[in-house]
Amino acid sequence: MKLLGKLPVFKAPAHHTGVTSRVGTWLGITFGLCFVTGLLSHGVQHDWPWPTRPVDLYRVTQGIHVISGVASIPLLLAKLWSVYPKLFERPLIRNVPHALERGSIFVLIAASFFELVTGLFNAAQNYPWSFYFPTAHYAVAYVAIGALLVHIAVKIPVVRRTLEPASTEQTLLSRRAFLRTTALTTSVAVVATAGVTVPFLRNISVLAWRSPGELPVNRTAKDAKIVVPPDWRLQVGAKSYSLRELQAMPQTTVELPIACVEGWSQNATWTGVRVADLVGKGDIRVKSLEQEGLYRETMLPEAFAQDPLTLLALELDGEDLSPDHGYPCRLIAPNRPGVLQTKWVTSLEVLA
Ligand SMILES: Nc1nc2c(c(=O)[nH]1)N[C@H]1C(S)=C(S)[C@@H](COP(=O)(O)O)O[C@H]1N2
Ligand SMILES: [Mo]
């Protein structure tokens, strides 16, 4: 046994450090993309400066966030598989640097699993936990990326060495096979889900959690307990407008996507009154008829409020808004996350 163990040919190909390095490099890239786009998404939802153009920018960054997250799952599993024997190496701890390295790996694995699992459940609109997802997902992202940076710093010399060509033809081939399988699994995972946000993949994304065609609904009028009073009027500062009065104002039609933070996105045609025609200069507080719920009101920065594409929409795809899409009126603005496209709007208030 001892003798065989020394022969490289008999070493399981997947457990070779060359494989670990390569899969690790891919994983580093998908994790990096996921982290950066996640930070952006967090920023947009927390009043960081964010442009109104290109109109699809958030759609793209959030699409990359979810797709790179999905790709990371098979890559992480392949990576763990390739280092699996090492995780149980004895002695568990050799010295202080070794202890630190092992500790960071443990943190890295735990945090990565937490991020990928919570992210996946969130994308599937399923919240089987009691903590508030965005805060936990955001905080643990820093833990994961911190541990990853330590891990990369420690491993760079090994990665450099092992990315060089393999020693024998046979190990080379079997390692390639493992890498190819990993790449294939990752591609399948991506293609199977990316249709939620990439239009031309819609029809082949069998696992996409949103069906193609209709604009999806995240929170229905019933879930939000919306009751539109018969004498509903839109309140804008001291003024107010009935639905008929809004319909009688100059109407604008725009094509803009809803880009949900949960990853799906879809374009639609919206018709309504320009917000800039209703309010004066300044940031705007947009309130809805919803009594509770995190997205019942939002802040619309001045650059968005004054943008000619930003509407208080009365119609979706040429028909009156349905209750679920925000009847009597809803906000639609360019390059804004779905959570901030407030439905069932009841007042606009210019903030000083
Ligand atoms: N008042 C209110 N507006 C809301 C929400 C909400 O919960 N309450 N959900 C938002 C979310 S998360 C998304 S993705 C979009 C979806 O719009 P749609 O249902 O018309 O597709 O509405 C947004 N507007
Ligand atoms: Mo959303």
Side-chain angles (χ1 to χ4, degrees):
M1 256 337 264
K2 232 179 175 180
L3 189 75
L4 289 183
K6 282 190 181 156
L7 296 171
V9 182
F10 288 94
K11 202 168 170 185
H15 299 150
H16 193 280
T17 44
V19 167
T20 307
S21 296
R22 207 148 273 148
V23 176
T25 306
W26 296 345
L27 192 56
I29 294 170
T30 57
F31 256 49
L33 281 173
C34 208
F35 181 67
V36 171
T37 50
L39 280 191
L40 283 179
S41 180
H42 184 86
V44 193
Q45 292 173 68
H46 291 83
D47 303 333
W48 289 9
W50 184 251
T52 59
R53 297 287 185 284
V55 300
D56 274 332
L57 181 63
Y58 183 77
R59 185 180 196 184
V60 171
T61 63
Q62 195 61 2
I64 292 174
H65 183 65
V66 173
I67 292 169
S68 56
V70 166
S72 299
I73 296 171
L75 288 178
L76 180 65
L77 294 176
K79 177 86 163 53
L80 286 176
W81 172 249
S82 78
V83 295
Y84 172 79
K86 282 203 198 128
L87 290 180
F88 300 98
E89 238 168 35
R90 305 281 153 163
L92 272 179
I93 290 171
R94 281 188 228 129
N95 47 41
V96 174
H98 185 245
L100 287 177
E101 192 211 323
R102 299 220 73 148
S104 79
I105 289 179
F106 175 75
V107 172
L108 178 58
I109 295 175
S112 305
F113 263 103
F114 179 86
E115 289 300 272
L116 296 178
V117 170
T118 54
L120 192 66
F121 273 98
N122 186 252
Q125 299 264 302
N126 195 329
Y127 303 83
W129 49 68
S130 52
F131 53 81
Y132 177 48
F133 168 79
T135 315
H137 195 71
Y138 179 68
V140 177
Y142 280 103
V143 177
I145 221 73
L148 180 61
L149 290 179
V150 171
H151 183 61
I152 292 174
V154 170
K155 294 294 182 191
I156 273 183
V158 186
V159 173
R160 281 240 176 89
R161 222 177 319 120
T162 55
L163 284 181
E164 279 154 22
S167 41
T168 72
E169 197 58 22
Q170 195 181 349
T171 46
L172 187 68
L173 286 178
S174 41
R175 271 192 244 166
R176 278 208 189 127
F178 180 78
L179 287 172
R180 225 178 283 135
T181 311
T182 305
L184 187 71
T185 318
T186 307
S187 315
V188 168
V190 164
V191 170
T193 49
V196 291
T197 182
V198 184
F200 75 89
L201 287 177
R202 282 256 145 87
N203 297 327
I204 45 173
S205 282
V206 285
L207 292 181
W209 44 89
R210 292 288 167 165
S211 52
E214 294 242 313
L215 182 68
V217 171
N218 256 26
R219 196 160 158 82
T220 63
K222 190 163 167 256
D223 285 346
K225 304 200 181 79
I226 299 301
V227 181
V228 183
D231 60 346
W232 176 89
R233 293 179 79 80
L234 174 76
Q235 203 67 44
V236 184
K239 288 196 206 149
S240 77
Y241 304 84
S242 70
L243 185 54
R244 265 165 202 270
E245 285 164 349
L246 288 172
Q247 285 161 340
M249 291 179 71
Q251 303 289 302
T252 303
T253 297
V254 300
E255 181 163 331
L256 284 178
I258 296 278
C260 182
V261 294
E262 279 127 1
W264 63 265
S265 68
Q266 184 149 325
N267 259 327
T269 307
W270 309 91
T271 302
V273 182
R274 282 201 174 121
V275 170
D277 291 346
L278 291 163
V279 297
K281 298 248 149 71
D283 297 343
I284 309 295
R285 192 194 316 278
V286 181
K287 281 193 186 160
S288 75
L289 288 165
E290 205 178 337
Q291 296 300 312
E292 45 203 73
L294 290 166
Y295 308 117
R296 67 181 184 281
E297 79 173 56
T298 47
M299 218 275 291
L300 185 67
E302 178 171 1
F304 287 82
Q306 294 301 319
D307 193 289
L309 294 180
T310 300
L311 304 185
L312 205 56
L314 309 173
E315 290 178 17
L316 163 59
D317 293 332
E319 286 174 31
D320 286 349
L321 280 182
S322 66
D324 286 346
H325 284 300
Y327 176 88
C329 65
R330 67 99 48 85
L331 181 68
I332 183 83
N335 195 25
R336 210 166 138 82
V339 283
L340 306 181
Q341 308 278 33
T342 314
K343 307 196 273 194
W344 315 294
V345 172
T346 193
S347 80
L348 303 177
E349 196 185 313
V350 181
L351 300 173

